[in-house]
Each structure stands twice: as structure tokens, then as C-alpha cells.
Amino acid sequence: MRGTIRNSLRTSWSYRLDMVMAVAGLWIQVWLLGVVWRSVYGDSASVNGIDPGQAVSYAVLAACLQAAMMPWRFSALEARVRNGQVGVDMTRPLGLVPQVLAQNVGTFLAQLPITVAGLAWAVLTGRLTLPPSAGAVLPWLLAMLLGVVITLLMNLLMSLTCFWSLEIGGYMMLYRLGSGLLSGALIPLWFMPGWFATVLDWLPFRAQMFTPLSIYFGQLDGASAWLAIAGQVAWIAMLAGLTHLVWLRAERRVVVLGG
């Protein structure tokens, strides 16, 4: 599994110009987010208890984290199913699902330097504030790690849809847009209508991004923060079980001809 992660990481880093352009694009996005959110607030000192500085920091931090958690390409599974190479993959000692998950992990690790570069730029330009207390750092890091695991599992589930449809580009685009909106990566869920926030409580998306960032900015602290983290663990268990069930169905659709 470590070899698969390493190969995926090296493959992503082989396109160095793409990495440079991704960093430049994220820097521009960080700058624009500051301009847009301060324009939205105008002369308002706060909205729903959130001041302009917090809103800008939230948007910038979410954008930087999203760069690593939601890359344009998760794994090569779609192409391997289309050309039949998945039959070879299924004969390897490491199961297909762990292979795809390892590829997703490698891609995530390869994108981390872009996130770090974006965060460094945000700090230098004053668009990212520190957590309100040092006590929020540890639960935030833990919640962020769990959020990454949830995202990887959901990305894996989306990758498995290629067993039912050989062209999943449209599904992926809808998934990225929906995930960005429903997880609070595009717009903080603080600003969502109450009924919509209640619906999201029953979906795993908010555990990807909104839960960690709410802890970072002190909106969740103490017992409420640890309760939210427990909820993330529960979502991981449910998504892992769902992934197993989907793979059992997908495995039956594979037909290998020849020998």
C-alpha cells in the first residue's frame, strides 16, 4: 500500500508546471476571497455573530484545505475500468479498494504543498487569523484529520460509480460542486437557513469541512467540540461500511474475457 501511495504522489509531482499554476491560482483565490467577503460585509460590523475578519479567514482556510482534499483527479480507476486493466488490478495481493484508497491518499499528500503555500500567503497578507485560544488547536487538528478521512472515503465512493457508468466526469463535477456547498467550503453554514442546516445534520458533508473550521474559530468548543468529533468518527464507520457494500455490488459487474 505504501508503494501505491508513493507512486501516486510521484505521478502528481511529475507535472511540475501544473503544481506551479495551482499555487499561483490559489494565491489569486486567497486575494479575491478577501476582496469579495469584505465587499459583502460593507459597513456591517458582524453578521450572525461573525465579523468580516473571521469570514475572510474562514473562506481562505477552507479554500486552501479544499485544494488538497478535493483535487480534480482522485484516482485512475475510471480509465482502468474503461480499458480493462481493472481485471489485472483485481488479481494483485492488495485488494482493489485499498489500491484506489492508497492512490487517493497519495494524491492528497501531493497536493499538500499547494495548501501550505496558500496558507503561508494568507498569513503574509493578513487574511488568516489564528484560533481564539490555544486549546482549540488539538481538537481542530484531530477534527481536520477525521475530515480528510471522510473526504477520502466519499471520493472513493464516487470513484466506484465508474463500474456503472464509464463516463463519470459529469458526476464528479456535480459532486465537487455539491460537496463544496454542503460541506461549508464555499459558504459558511452559519449563513445558511435554519431548515437547511438541520438537513445537513443528517449528511456527512458538514463533517468534512464545517466541523473542523467551527472548532478552529471557536464556534464549537469544550464538550460540543468533542461531541462533533465523535460524530465524525461515526460517519467514518458508516461510510466505510457503505463502501464495502458498494464494492460487493461493483465486483459482480466485472467480466474478464480471455486468459
Side-chain angles (χ1 to χ4, degrees), residues 97 153 156-157 160 238-248:
V97 169
L153 287 173
L156 174 58
L157 278 169
L160 290 176
M238 286 187 283
L239 288 171
L242 179 60
T243 300
H244 178 68
L245 292 176
V246 171
W247 168 239
L248 290 179

Side-chain angles (χ1 to χ4, degrees), residues 84-99:
Q85 288 297 314
V86 68
V88 177
D89 295 334
M90 293 176 66
T91 64
R92 293 175 177 172
L94 184 65
L96 181 64
V97 169
Q99 289 179 51

